[in-house]
Amino acid sequence: MGNILEGVKIVELASWTFVPSAGVALADWGADVVKVEDTRGGDPGRALVVGGLTREKSRTGQDFMLELGNRGKRSVGLNLKSEEGLAIFKKLVSEADVFLTNWLPAVLERAKIDLDELRAANPRLIVAQGTGQGTEGPDASAPGFDATAYFARSGYSFSLSAPDSIMPFRQTPALGDLPAGLTLAGGVLGALYHRERTGEALPVEVSLLAQAMWTIAPDITAADFFEDVDLVPKPPLGVGFNAVGHPYKTSDDRWIQLMFLQPDKNWGEFIRRVGLPELAEDERFTPAQNLFKNSQELTDILTAHFAAKPYDYWVETLKDETGAWSPIKSPKEVLDDPQTEANGYFIQNTSENGIQYRQVAPPIRFNKETPAASSAPEYAEHTEQVLLELGYDWPEIISAKDNGVVS
């Protein structure tokens, strides 16, 4: 799998997590991704602390968010405000297949990085941009993070927030960034394929706003199709429109999620399996239209029934159930789920201090293979290596360092 993009060169001028995560996926698929960072410390994501989880507290001695968004890349420190640094950057891009960036149009302009000029110098260059709200319109140059452009503006937070909640829905870190990054990586693959067929290098763009709108498209579409509808109707908490498409709490405060969209196919087997055989032929719940009509009554019965036994009991009882169901797991439990291991959903790695750890692999797999282990680069770790590849000699590199052009 590591070879499908072998020979593809990508220059990444991006920070935080959204667009860098696209670079991670492309690196996992074999591309050489060079991350360009400024000479004042690099990507501000290197200083980000989420939930008080610092590098010092980590058992691996690494920054978990930095690893998530930057493993597998090479890092170069460049001062793009200097003429010499800008010249090095343009030389780097002139030899690249893809320029990957989250810099806003106005910022690129101030930095004298004209995208049309870059593409004119390198007609094969695919420019891939990730933005908050898109590259056009009144807010094209407005900053956007997943909490704003993805969750707030798109309707996502509104859609997931309970009507009686004292606060809107709050996402976990990068919950919008990572799917948008993978979409951008997929767009790059499409552009590379098109260029291979036609020789034309098409620009690619993904915004957090567009990604979120795609994610909640059923709600947005329903709001357009139906009068006085702002999202697909949801039952109040504790109420089930479909009693066998509902979560149930166990006696030890865990949850089991059922999702039988065609209850008639599974009803008899399921209700006998969970220990309520007397309901198998109950006309209140069969056929399916009666179950839906009396869904709240059945929800109340199943709520009491599941609450009588612990989580492990129900997981064992339902293990051979043919209808769709799942235990609601914690992230720590997902680490040891045999299904995730069997499918290669984790990349096994070892830190510099000898600690083994796992990284989540991109969900797109090729040939059933998991990407090779990789780590995020230290700041400007590969500056000299990349400059040598560009044809600079050691005296030129030393001079550039002394003059603050590179780190």
Side-chain angles (χ1 to χ4, degrees):
M1 177 169 128
N3 294 327
I4 71 160
L5 292 182
E6 183 177 8
V8 173
K9 297 182 178 180
I10 297 174
V11 174
E12 177 188 299
L13 184 63
S15 54
W16 305 109
T17 305
F18 164 25
V19 173
S21 72
V24 166
L26 295 165
D28 277 341
W29 300 333
D32 176 16
V33 181
V34 176
K35 181 180 181 70
V36 175
E37 305 188 65
D38 65 35
T39 51
R40 296 169 297 168
D43 186 337
R46 290 183 178 275
L48 178 67
V49 176
V50 177
L53 302 177
T54 63
R55 177 192 293 252
E56 291 73 25
K57 294 178 181 178
S58 168
R59 67 186 184 89
T60 69
Q62 296 163 293
D63 184 321
F64 80 104
M65 287 297 292
L66 185 70
E67 291 295 316
L68 187 67
N70 291 286
R71 57 184 174 76
K73 303 174 186 177
R74 297 193 289 168
S75 171
V76 172
L78 273 182
N79 179 4
L80 295 179
K81 293 184 177 181
S82 69
E83 288 188 15
E84 189 177 351
L86 190 59
I88 293 172
F89 173 78
K90 289 183 175 180
K91 183 174 177 59
L92 184 61
V93 173
S94 73
E95 299 184 5
D97 295 285
V98 180
F99 174 45
L100 190 62
T101 187
N102 70 344
W103 281 29
L104 295 167
V107 179
L108 287 168
E109 185 177 346
R110 286 198 300 271
K112 300 179 182 178
I113 301 173
D114 185 284
L115 298 182
D116 291 334
E117 182 182 322
L118 293 178
R119 295 185 71 208
N122 179 3
R124 289 179 54 81
L125 182 68
I126 294 166
V127 173
Q129 291 181 271
T131 65
Q133 288 83 212
T135 58
E136 300 175 290
D139 294 326
S141 290
F145 287 92
D146 66 347
T148 56
Y150 188 92
F151 285 99
R153 187 163 191 166
S154 69
Y156 201 132
S157 183
F158 181 92
S159 178
L160 292 185
S161 299
D164 57 350
S165 174
I166 62 171
M167 287 284 290
F169 171 82
R170 296 180 66 181
Q171 78 280 5
T172 58
L175 193 59
D177 292 329
L178 293 172
L182 190 67
T183 297
L184 184 58
V188 169
L189 291 184
L192 287 168
Y193 176 69
H194 179 79
R195 192 187 68 178
E196 186 70 20
R197 288 172 50 245
T198 69
E200 181 186 24
L202 295 176
V204 181
E205 61 180 80
V206 172
S207 74
L208 291 168
L209 175 59
Q211 178 74 32
M213 290 171 62
W214 176 254
T215 304
I216 63 159
D219 283 328
I220 295 174
T221 304
D224 194 31
F225 275 40
F226 302 94
E227 296 290 343
D228 301 321
V229 167
D230 213 358
L231 49 80
V232 175
K234 293 184 291 186
L237 293 178
V239 176
F241 287 165
N242 174 5
V244 286
H246 193 73
Y248 291 99
K249 196 173 187 179
T250 65
S251 64
D252 50 353
D253 294 330
R254 297 294 304 272
W255 292 86
I256 301 293
Q257 175 70 54
L258 306 179
M259 187 49 67
F260 301 170
L261 296 181
Q262 297 174 288
D264 286 339
K265 294 177 61 175
N266 311 104
W267 172 251
E269 174 194 350
F270 163 74
I271 205 66
R272 291 185 178 93
R273 185 187 303 279
V274 298
L276 293 170
E278 67 277 10
L279 300 183
E281 307 298 331
D282 193 313
E283 293 183 355
R284 291 174 297 170
F285 312 126
T286 184
Q289 58 261 36
N290 290 345
L291 185 152
F292 295 142
K293 185 189 306 181
N294 299 299
S295 185
Q296 189 55 54
E297 186 176 358
L298 179 57
T299 299
D300 293 340
I301 292 170
L302 292 177
T303 295
H305 192 64
F306 274 89
K309 297 286 177 59
Y311 173 85
D312 288 344
Y313 171 86
W314 290 117
V315 170
E316 179 65 23
T317 297
L318 293 168
K319 67 179 182 180
D320 296 322
E321 173 58 45
T322 58
W325 74 279
S326 177
I328 294 180
K329 294 193 171 188
S330 72
K332 190 170 285 292
E333 289 173 320
V334 174
L335 282 168
D336 298 314
D337 187 326
Q339 192 67 16
T340 63
E341 182 178 355
N343 283 279
Y345 291 161
F346 286 110
I347 300 167
Q348 305 292 331
N349 210 343
T350 304
S351 67
E352 288 188 359
N353 61 7
I355 301 296
Q356 292 188 334
Y357 66 97
R358 286 158 287 185
Q359 297 170 312
V360 179
I364 299 172
R365 299 177 73 203
F366 299 97
N367 198 33
K368 296 186 181 295
E369 295 179 20
T370 299
S374 62
S375 298
E378 294 298 327
Y379 166 64
E381 179 180 345
H382 303 95
T383 299
E384 294 92 341
Q385 181 187 76
V386 171
L387 291 181
L388 288 168
E389 291 172 0
L390 290 175
Y392 292 90
D393 59 28
W394 278 110
E396 291 173 315
I397 294 172
I398 293 170
S399 174
K401 280 181 168 287
D402 289 343
N403 293 327
V405 173
V406 301
S407 296

